[in-house]
């Protein structure tokens, strides 16, 4: 099987990294690249492509908008690439072949590529069309974001608006909500909490820390690509190494 692949990402280094990984596979006959959603739409319409590695978050025309613009009949099979777990979960739920979380590891890429090749060899075109239709349906009906937490307090339940939370801390199988001087304990894993939060408002900066972006006062780099984050409350937190790229993408100017 010979494959024509399109890599779509607004970051040159990300495109080069994916092209390098694709180049190790003899099945890949050609690799095109697009720097943004508009270029991606033009190339998909122009070329006969077998697979698209599609960045979800791009300025103006994002990955989901590309899928929507092309439509089910013409959209090739997609592997989403994203720096945000929430988009990755959504892509997986809407039946994309796979997703890759930035920074893309070689091991994870190989797994996704193998899955894509198997799908292309075994699934008929109508299955790919169903996949895109499922994507379009999910785009038209995005999942609701959590608006408040219900917290048990003795015999009572109190409600904490999500926008009032400063940061969230993992605590064994619980999370601790920090709201001003108050804290609230919820018996739910960190990953579940992250999945229901608005990624435009909350950012995971560490395996154990999610912060309200609007509560961040200062940010500065420290050793090994990590960041120190100071909230308006004066609370200081340290990011994890694997979260540096998403912090940079979210909290620095997009130019």
């Amino acid at each position: 099987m010979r494959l024509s692949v399109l890599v779509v990402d607004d970051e040159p280094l990300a495109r080069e990294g994916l092209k390098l990984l694709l180049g190790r596979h003899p099945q890949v006959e050609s690799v095109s690249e697009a720097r943004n959603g508009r270029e991606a739409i033009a190339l998909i319409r122009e070329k006969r492509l077998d697979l698209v590695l599609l960045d979800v978050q791009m300025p103006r025309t994002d990955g989901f908008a590309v899928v929507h613009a092309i439509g089910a009949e013409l959209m090739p099979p997609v592997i989403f690439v994203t720096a945000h777990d929430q988009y990755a979960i959504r892509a997986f739920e809407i039946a994309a072949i796979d997703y890759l979380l930035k920074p893309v590891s070689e091991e994870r890429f190989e797994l996704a590529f193998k899955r894509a090749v198997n799908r292309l060899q075994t699934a008929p075109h109508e299955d790919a069309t169903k996949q895109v239709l499922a994507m379009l349906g999910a785009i038209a009906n995005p999942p609701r974001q959590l608006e408040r937490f219900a917290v048990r307090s003795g015999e009572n339940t109190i409600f904490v608006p999500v926008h009032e939370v400063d940061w969230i801390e993992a605590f064994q199988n619980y999370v601790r909500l920090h709201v001003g001087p108050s804290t609230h304990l919820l018996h739910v894993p960190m990953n579940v909490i992250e999945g229901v939060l608005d990624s435009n408002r909350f950012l995971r900066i560490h395996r154990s820390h999610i912060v309200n972006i609007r509560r961040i006062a200062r940010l500065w780099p420290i050793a090994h690509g990590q960041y120190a984050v100071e909230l308006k409350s004066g609370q200081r937190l340290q990011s994890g190494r694997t979260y540096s790229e998403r912090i940079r993408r979210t909290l620095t100017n997009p130019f």
Side-chain angles (χ1 to χ4, degrees), residues 73-133:
E73 294 297 326
L74 296 179
M75 189 69 204
V78 172
I79 295 175
F80 283 109
V81 185
T82 176
H84 295 272
D85 289 350
Q86 281 184 267
Y87 287 116
I89 292 169
R90 183 180 173 194
F92 199 67
E93 288 176 343
I94 62 179
I97 286 180
D98 205 343
Y99 69 87
L100 293 170
L101 198 60
K102 295 181 180 180
V104 178
S105 70
E106 182 177 349
E107 180 181 9
R108 188 64 184 83
F109 174 85
E110 293 301 321
L111 180 63
F113 185 79
K114 181 179 179 181
R115 185 173 292 163
V117 170
N118 288 339
R119 173 79 71 88
L120 292 168
Q121 288 177 331
T122 59
H125 177 71
E126 49 265 33
D127 280 1
T129 301
K130 289 178 182 176
Q131 172 204 349
V132 179
L133 286 171

Side-chain angles (χ1 to χ4, degrees), residues 19-235:
K19 287 166 59 180
L20 183 65
L21 292 168
L22 285 165
R24 298 175 182 176
H25 291 271
Q27 303 101 314
V28 177
E29 186 173 56
S30 65
V31 180
S32 307
E33 58 182 300
R35 298 171 298 179
N36 51 54
R38 294 179 62 181
E39 288 186 0
I41 292 169
L43 286 170
I44 293 170
R45 287 172 173 164
E46 173 189 337
K47 294 177 175 287
R48 188 179 181 87
L49 297 165
D50 301 298
L51 179 66
V52 179
L53 302 182
L54 181 59
D55 186 21
V56 173
Q57 282 199 304
M58 294 181 289
R60 299 179 181 173
T61 307
D62 66 15
F64 293 121
V66 170
V67 174
H68 189 268
I70 296 298
E73 294 297 326
L74 296 179
M75 189 69 204
V78 172
I79 295 175
F80 283 109
V81 185
T82 176
H84 295 272
D85 289 350
Q86 281 184 267
Y87 287 116
I89 292 169
R90 183 180 173 194
F92 199 67
E93 288 176 343
I94 62 179
I97 286 180
D98 205 343
Y99 69 87
L100 293 170
L101 198 60
K102 295 181 180 180
V104 178
S105 70
E106 182 177 349
E107 180 181 9
R108 188 64 184 83
F109 174 85
E110 293 301 321
L111 180 63
F113 185 79
K114 181 179 179 181
R115 185 173 292 163
V117 170
N118 288 339
R119 173 79 71 88
L120 292 168
Q121 288 177 331
T122 59
H125 177 71
E126 49 265 33
D127 280 1
T129 301
K130 289 178 182 176
Q131 172 204 349
V132 179
L133 286 171
M135 292 182 194
L136 295 176
I139 292 168
N141 300 286
R144 292 184 58 194
Q145 304 293 339
L146 188 69
E147 295 181 356
R148 63 182 185 179
F149 294 102
V151 181
R152 291 294 301 272
S153 177
E155 296 298 321
N156 302 314
T157 298
I158 63 173
F159 296 97
V160 179
V162 169
H163 68 270
E164 292 184 0
V165 175
D166 296 322
W167 64 289
I168 301 170
E169 177 183 20
F171 179 68
Q172 299 176 354
N173 291 325
Y174 294 78
V175 295
R176 183 179 285 131
L177 309 178
H178 292 265
V179 186
S182 302
T183 60
H184 306 281
L185 206 59
L186 284 178
H187 190 187
V188 60
M190 194 72 158
N191 287 339
V192 173
I193 285 290
E194 185 181 17
V196 297
L197 292 174
D198 182 355
S199 62
N200 292 319
R201 182 183 292 272
F202 287 90
L203 175 66
R204 191 164 186 172
I205 63 168
H206 188 277
R207 183 166 53 88
S208 301
H209 302 146
I210 294 174
V211 297
N212 185 333
I213 294 172
R214 297 179 186 180
R215 295 291 199 276
I216 295 175
R218 289 203 301 154
L219 171 78
W220 64 96
I222 53 178
H224 309 299
Q226 294 166 282
Y227 287 92
V229 178
E230 182 175 299
L231 304 184
K232 294 178 180 177
S233 65
Q235 174 71 47

